[in-house]
Amino acid sequence: MDLVFFGIQGSGKGTQAKTLAAELKYYIFEAGGELRKIKASGTDLGELVKKYIDNGELVPFEIIMEVVNEAVAAVPDDQKILFDGIPRDEDQMNAFDKILSDAGRQIRCVHILLDKDEAVERIKGRAEIEGRADDADQEKVLRRMDLFSEKTMPVIAEYESAGKVIEIDGKGSVEEIYARIKDGIADLN
Ligand code: ADP
């Protein structure tokens, strides 16, 4: 069973996803990380991708879906995948579901829940520590959070009604949240 991680910016999603993937031997697909590699590639595509990332906007559908498609195709059938940062809207969800079903893969979702106010506070700290350009600009972070609420929450709701979502309380320490996630997915394999 593959996993798809969801959570508002600042929820700790990325950290938790990385730790879990390393411990339980999931191949991790990080949409933002893959796109940042393209951004840094010095190509025309990189320049295009940079504009979206730096503005906190979603990179165009075709670009991200191509990256996902190639990644899934390259992973052996018996290797579990943890997806972080995909799908982010309804169109991506439809394409993503098709890629996975064509590959004979099934998913469960982990949604780390956190209030927007608390998420904003955490992001302020993270911007200082990690120095990520798109986290330094508060306005762009808020834009990404709005996109999460408007575009990604409906995706989570759909997976929820299909009974595929494990909800995790995102308050507390990194260790506490990690323990909740491990508990939540304990019955999967
Ligand atoms: P965050 O979750 O905090 O927004 P990410 O590292 O996941 O951080 O994403 C950084 C940026 O990469 C996003 O703001 C967006 O520009 C781009 N991106 C990431 N995932 C997607 C996606 N699924 N579709 C389109 N763009 C994406």
Side-chain angles (χ1 to χ4, degrees), residues 61 64-73 81 83 86 92-105:
F61 174 87
I64 180 66
M65 293 321 301
E66 170 80 19
V67 178
V68 177
N69 210 357
E70 281 179 15
V72 172
I81 308 178
F83 296 94
I86 182 83
Q92 289 186 11
M93 181 183 75
N94 293 331
F96 180 72
D97 286 351
K98 172 125 180 29
I99 290 171
L100 291 191
S101 65
D102 287 354
R105 293 181 162 276

Side-chain angles (χ1 to χ4, degrees), residues 9 31-32 35-36 53 57 59 85 88 92 126 132 144:
Q9 286 72 16
L35 292 168
R36 279 189 290 278
I53 292 181
E57 298 295 334
V59 165
R88 290 204 194 218
Q92 289 186 11
R126 180 169 98 180
R132 229 175 82 177
R144 276 152 54 209

Side-chain angles (χ1 to χ4, degrees), residues 29 31 34-35 38-39 44-50 52 58-70 86 92:
F29 177 84
E34 292 300 321
L35 292 168
I38 297 175
K39 171 181 153 174
D44 287 349
L45 182 62
E47 281 304 307
L48 180 70
V49 164
K50 174 177 163 37
Y52 290 92
L58 293 183
V59 165
F61 174 87
E62 287 75 15
I63 298 176
I64 180 66
M65 293 321 301
E66 170 80 19
V67 178
V68 177
N69 210 357
E70 281 179 15
I86 182 83
Q92 289 186 11

